[in-house]
Amino acid sequence: MADVLPLVEARLRSALGEPDARAAVTFLGTDRIEVLRFTDGDIVRYATLGMSAQPMGDPTAMLADPVKGPRAELVLSVRAGLADTDKVLRPLAVLAASPQVEGLVVAPGASLDVGEPLWPGAPFTSVLVAEPGGLVEDLELDEPLDPVHFLPLLPMTPNEAAWKRVHGAQALQERWLTNGTDLRDPSRKSVPLE
């Protein structure tokens, strides 16, 4: 069985360029999670590396399938220089470790909450998982392995997260679109929700 992480890193590099920084976090009982930083003009992208090493499994299953199951990495894009967003490394690693720690299957439309600001002074404690395939194409793996999806993360304010729980991810994304919300602004205010 091929190690998928070198393939994942190669896909990230081909889509985003060379990382200008990387950090690694290891939580007790989990595999190491790295976060790579890519700078492209005034946009900084943070991508996890390590979440896709194991497939995400059904938390109700007695045994985790070591081969079959969805695989993913997380990608967060923000405007550079407006906040100390490099402090997002640990929260991102926590989110990327959640399938191993909590048995979560991270999929588009899901909300992930870290319970604290994503970076110092951030108005966001959670993210909405968006659809893959835009910025970084899915990475097809040899059968029977599922492809690796690169899931964009969209920071949500607590009010937006509460509104999303009631109205759904699609409704929140439409609200952002209608209001011309800059989802990459690290200090943006909540979208009007009335």
Side-chain angles (χ1 to χ4, degrees):
M1 191 66 56
D3 183 5
V4 302
L5 294 184
L7 302 172
V8 170
E9 184 167 353
R11 176 55 55 93
L12 286 168
R13 287 172 183 264
S14 70
L16 305 176
E18 286 298 309
D20 60 5
R22 65 193 308 147
V25 180
T26 306
F27 302 101
L28 188 62
T30 67
D31 295 332
R32 169 182 156 127
I33 301 286
E34 288 190 83
V35 179
L36 284 59
R37 183 181 71 192
F38 301 87
T39 305
D40 181 16
D42 70 336
I43 302 295
V44 179
R45 293 190 170 90
Y46 301 94
T48 63
L49 180 63
M51 182 176 170
S52 62
Q54 305 295 325
M56 294 181 274
D58 179 354
T60 62
M62 291 296 285
L63 290 173
D65 188 325
V67 176
K68 291 295 288 172
R71 294 174 187 261
E73 295 291 352
L74 307 174
V75 181
L76 174 70
S77 300
V78 293
R79 295 206 180 284
L82 302 176
D84 189 9
T85 56
D86 280 351
K87 297 285 195 296
V88 78
L89 301 178
R90 185 167 178 76
L92 267 184
V94 167
L95 296 177
S98 61
Q100 289 182 57
V101 174
E102 300 172 38
L104 288 179
V105 175
V106 178
S111 299
L112 302 174
D113 195 317
V114 294
E116 61 186 33
L118 292 175
W119 51 82
F124 320 106
T125 60
S126 62
V127 293
L128 175 65
V129 181
E131 292 290 334
L135 187 63
V136 183
E137 281 185 41
D138 293 349
L139 173 64
E140 297 295 331
L141 300 173
D142 294 336
E143 290 289 337
L145 302 180
D146 287 24
V148 177
H149 298 293
F150 297 89
L151 301 171
L153 300 180
L154 308 174
M156 292 188 293
T157 66
N159 285 347
E160 290 170 340
W163 197 85
K164 182 253 177 198
R165 279 192 293 278
V166 174
H167 299 280
Q170 186 64 40
L172 178 58
Q173 288 179 301
E174 287 170 11
R175 183 64 58 116
W176 282 335
L177 195 60
T178 302
N179 285 276
T181 305
D182 180 3
L183 295 174
R184 295 175 175 169
D185 180 351
S187 55
R188 73 171 178 83
K189 304 290 183 240
S190 183
V191 71
L193 298 170
E194 294 80 36

